Amino acid sequence: MITTYNPEHLGDVLMIILAPNANQQIVTTNKNVTRVSDLSSDKTTGYNIFGIGEKLQIRHKSGQLTLTQKQIDIVNQELKQAGFADELTVEPTKLVIGYVETVTTHPDSDHLHVTETRVANDKTLQIVSGSPNIKENVKVAVAQPGTMMPSGALIWDGELRGVPSAGMIVSGRELRLPGAPDKPGALILPDDFGNVGDSFNFEKAANLYRDNLVDLNY
């Protein structure tokens, strides 16, 4: 679940993104809530909730939000009052520390690689990477499906040249870290940066390039 709030451009509206937009959608509005769903499956892909900023105490904020359990409870009450059955839950951040366990050559590309990357003790993702410095047995920053990047781009499941890819191994440039080079390349994290599955710590990462803790020789 991705939540954004931008009163300057959209007015007092909380946007909740649950899945990629479908090719054909149904838009249903009841009271102050608009539901967007997939025409073929009726699966909810998102909600827009109007006039909720004061209740959530976010009137003076904008951009992506991480909602607390109390705020999620308020959102669920709004959905219920508008007659919608979905119930949202607090989710951990999708941008985490991962560990690249294997790297193999993509069967249909001379520059892409297929990785098996662990993002939790019991969770490993197949991620296709085009980073020239990708290798096995390193820690990386992983944008799992459902991540909103600093640029506002949304990361979902997809395919690269016919091979499924669940998310993205990201670069320092894509994370907009200070001093990151303006070129492709996975952010290879120091071993002591954190544990696999931990949320990516932007504050801690701010000094990686300044302190020469990232290998740029690729």
Side-chain angles (χ1 to χ4, degrees):
M1 178 179 69
I2 300 169
T3 53
T4 63
Y5 183 75
N6 197 333
E8 294 181 1
H9 300 289
L10 301 175
D12 184 359
V13 56
L14 179 74
M15 301 177 66
I16 301 172
I17 305 168
L18 301 174
N21 287 331
N23 291 330
Q24 293 182 300
Q25 301 176 341
I26 300 174
V27 178
T28 306
T29 299
N30 292 334
K31 297 185 178 180
N32 65 318
V33 179
T34 295
R35 174 182 182 251
V36 182
S37 58
D38 186 319
L39 177 62
S40 60
S41 66
D42 196 38
K43 177 182 177 181
T44 303
T45 58
Y47 282 104
N48 293 338
I49 305 179
F50 299 87
I52 196 174
E54 186 172 343
K55 293 180 181 179
L56 298 180
Q57 298 183 345
I58 57 172
R59 288 297 295 264
H60 302 295
K61 299 180 181 180
S62 63
Q64 184 177 11
L65 301 174
T66 300
L67 299 182
T68 65
Q69 183 61 61
K70 183 178 180 180
Q71 290 172 320
I72 288 289
D73 291 342
I74 294 172
V75 169
N76 282 329
Q77 185 64 26
E78 294 288 311
L79 296 181
K80 183 178 179 180
Q81 290 178 351
F84 295 108
D86 288 312
E87 185 168 335
L88 307 181
T89 59
V90 173
E91 294 183 343
T93 180
K94 299 288 188 177
L95 182 64
V96 300
I97 298 172
Y99 185 81
V100 181
E101 296 185 327
T102 65
V103 177
T104 57
T105 301
H106 191 290
D108 189 35
S109 172
D110 59 1
H111 72 280
L112 295 176
H113 294 84
V114 183
T115 77
E116 293 292 328
T117 301
R118 181 159 45 88
V119 294
N121 289 335
D122 58 351
K123 184 179 180 182
T124 300
L125 301 178
Q126 177 175 286
I127 302 176
V128 178
S129 174
S131 298
N133 61 332
I134 197 66
K135 56 186 178 180
E136 296 179 349
N137 303 317
V138 292
K139 288 181 178 178
V140 292
V142 177
Q144 300 179 86
T147 299
M148 176 177 281
M149 298 294 289
S151 66
L154 303 179
I155 306 301
W156 300 110
D157 289 305
E159 288 188 0
L160 286 174
R161 293 205 177 184
V163 175
S165 183
M168 182 172 69
I169 296 172
V170 299
S171 67
R173 176 181 64 174
E174 289 164 329
L175 294 174
R176 296 185 176 176
L177 298 182
D182 188 21
K183 64 178 182 178
L187 172 61
I188 307 296
L189 297 169
D191 286 340
D192 61 356
F193 186 82
N195 297 319
V196 173
D198 286 352
S199 300
F200 185 80
N201 188 325
F202 278 92
E203 183 176 352
K204 188 174 182 180
N207 296 326
L208 287 176
Y209 291 97
R210 187 198 67 180
D211 296 340
N212 297 315
L213 299 176
V214 179
D215 183 9
L216 300 178
N217 296 316
Y218 58 88

